[in-house]
Amino acid sequence: MTNPAKPILWIPGPTEVRPEILAECARPMIGHRSKAMTTLMERLDPHLKFAFGLKDGSDASVAVHTCAGTGLMESALLGVGLRVLCIVNGAFSKRFHEIAVALGKDVVKLAAPMGSQVPFADIEKALREQGPFDALTIVSNETSTGVRTPLAELAAVTKKFPQTMVLVDFVSYIAGAPIDFDAHGFDFGFAGIQKALALPPGLTVAAASKRYLEAAKARKGRGFYLDPVKVFEGHAERATMATPAISLYYALAKQLEDISAGVVLPENQRGKTGRAAWQARFDEHTRMQQVTEAWAASNDLEMLPAPALRSTTISCIQAGDLDVPALITALKAQGHELGNGYGDLKDKTFRIGHMGDHTEAGLQALLQLADDVIAAQRAAKARV
Ligand SMILES: *Cc1c(COP(=O)(O)O)cnc(C)c1O
């Protein structure tokens, strides 16, 4: 069932979902305490380990919970102590900070302007001079600005402060770039599924280190529905605390299996499976970032983030002389929906979400149409 009036979504989430995945959501219901549900949950874990980059024999755990991505920001914080350092460089890291404040944590905020990243030297200085901190919050990929935090450099700093739990939002990052959760010593990572995992919204996936879960268990006041211990134990025991979004579990299972089987890879990459298939998917996203960057340059447009900070799943481009609403309207009429800038960056930037199951070929087609729209806009301006 396709809707010809519906444009292809290149907005930064929710993104386009393949028909085969949508069809999974139409399966007949099963009881959530049934053997069928246990079997369905068991399909997820091996692939979630690839998504989070858990090593073979890792002592970290994975989980799935029925809620929006924002819910797991709260879960992550419910399992840690009072003193929290929040790294803020855009709309979603700002939300992570707001939740820490709302939970009554003793919060220090380190902020950087939209489009940039807090320098690692400043993070290290804060951890050293204003610590000890129980936890640090960070967003790996600021969907609002297209800024990707280099995780190896982050880990090089946070590993010097082992008393601090590292809580990372991977919402628009997961399945678009490698996470290396164990190697980087992260403690809690999470993602909603409607962005780089290309599924309908409503579920979250997460990974937690053994030390995070042990420390969380010893804490009081973890709430109930978002209690990280209940979330991870419920998943491990195949007994979720409440009725899960079963339809979305079916969709998630198929999507993860398809990624691991290389189903959505370009023709010349097919046949790769397991970790190699995930790596090939990350490489495709890197190429899409490079294609978008070259396209922007060919139209005399600049990316918002500095080269080292550019996301593989969302490109945020400075509008320059372009009329962003007109660009978006013209492309929508041709069947493609781009994202405007976020908040103060509205009309000053626009965003292309080349995330999820989007391909380099599909992106090239979009950018060709955009070339024509931009040329027409500039020609019209030159005439007046
Ligand atoms: C979209 C987004 C969120 C919020 O996800 P919801 O499912 O809407 O709660 C959090 N973090 C990042 C980086 C996002 O892009």
Side-chain angles (χ1 to χ4, degrees):
M1 201 172 48
T2 53
N3 177 354
K6 192 202 86 71
I8 296 171
L9 292 181
W10 297 89
I11 58 173
T15 193
E16 212 48 36
V17 180
R18 291 181 293 133
E20 307 89 288
I21 299 297
L22 289 174
E24 289 295 308
C25 296
R27 285 183 182 274
M29 268 315 100
I30 54 173
H32 64 294
R33 304 292 181 221
S34 66
K35 178 79 182 67
M37 187 68 201
T38 299
T39 305
L40 176 53
M41 291 175 83
E42 282 169 352
R43 287 168 61 192
L44 307 170
D45 294 11
H47 309 287
L48 288 175
K49 287 178 182 167
F50 293 147
F52 282 102
L54 300 190
K55 294 175 177 160
D56 294 333
S58 168
D59 60 8
S61 307
V62 293
V64 177
H65 195 46
T66 301
C67 67
T70 303
L72 281 205
M73 288 185 175
E74 197 159 334
S75 285
L77 285 160
L78 284 167
V80 300
L82 217 48
R83 188 127 172 103
V84 179
L85 178 64
C86 295
I87 310 303
V88 177
N89 66 330
F92 294 103
S93 42
K94 180 167 170 265
R95 182 180 299 177
F96 216 166
H97 169 258
E98 279 168 5
I99 293 171
V101 171
L103 289 173
K105 303 288 187 190
D106 173 14
V107 182
V108 172
K109 176 167 91 169
L110 261 190
M114 298 279 278
S116 60
Q117 163 67 52
V118 176
F120 293 110
D122 293 0
I123 297 177
E124 179 159 358
K125 191 161 182 278
L127 286 167
R128 179 160 291 127
E129 293 176 7
Q130 299 184 69
F133 286 96
D134 296 303
L136 172 146
T137 69
I138 191 159
V139 171
S140 58
N141 199 68
E142 248 306 344
T143 314
S144 58
T145 60
V147 167
R148 180 183 55 91
T149 296
L151 296 181
E153 290 170 47
L154 171 71
V157 171
T158 52
K159 278 183 176 174
K160 295 180 192 169
F161 303 89
Q163 72 276 36
T164 305
M165 298 284 178
V166 183
L167 318 178
V168 192
D169 169 325
F170 289 111
V171 177
S172 60
Y173 183 112
I174 196 165
I179 292 181
D180 295 331
F181 188 87
D182 286 324
H184 288 153
F186 296 147
D187 292 291
F188 196 108
F190 63 90
I193 62 171
Q194 75 273 28
K195 296 196 182 159
L197 274 169
L199 287 153
L203 284 187
T204 49
V205 295
S209 67
K210 188 173 175 210
R211 70 173 196 146
Y212 173 94
L213 288 173
E214 280 174 357
K217 253 178 235 170
R219 303 194 58 76
K220 291 205 172 78
R222 300 192 307 264
F224 191 92
Y225 187 69
L226 295 172
D227 172 0
V229 176
K230 278 198 169 57
V231 168
F232 279 85
E233 283 182 354
H235 184 79
E237 289 158 16
R238 313 301 181 205
T240 55
M241 74 178 87
T243 317
I246 297 165
S247 310
L248 294 174
Y249 272 68
Y250 276 120
L252 176 62
K254 173 152 177 66
Q255 174 68 333
L256 291 172
E257 286 168 356
D258 280 0
I259 296 174
S260 289
V263 166
V264 281
L265 289 175
E267 213 68 62
N268 63 357
Q269 300 284 314
R270 298 268 168 82
K272 290 190 171 161
T273 58
R275 286 189 204 275
W278 284 80
Q279 186 56 52
R281 183 181 177 88
F282 304 150
D283 294 343
E284 172 87 348
H285 283 85
T286 300
R287 281 193 297 277
M288 286 195 276
Q289 189 276 322
Q290 290 164 346
V291 162
T292 309
E293 186 176 301
W295 169 83
S298 74
N299 280 287
D300 290 321
L301 297 169
E302 297 202 20
M303 309 291 287
L304 181 69
L309 299 178
R310 290 177 189 161
S311 163
T312 59
T313 52
I314 301 141
S315 288
C316 183
I317 299 156
Q318 301 191 41
D321 61 325
L322 298 183
D323 178 339
V324 172
L327 170 69
I328 290 172
T329 304
L331 283 170
K332 206 166 173 178
Q334 299 183 62
H336 296 266
E337 187 168 353
L338 299 191
N340 201 327
Y342 193 102
D344 292 344
L345 295 173
K346 186 161 186 256
D347 298 344
K348 295 187 188 124
T349 62
F350 60 96
R351 290 173 297 163
I352 302 176
H354 36 76
M355 55 176 66
D357 293 338
H358 280 307
T359 61
E360 192 183 341
L363 179 65
Q364 296 277 15
L366 163 74
L367 296 177
Q368 261 176 32
L369 291 173
D371 274 339
D372 296 341
V373 173
I374 290 171
Q377 239 187 48
R378 285 181 172 157
K381 246 187 206 155
R383 278 198 297 275
V384 290

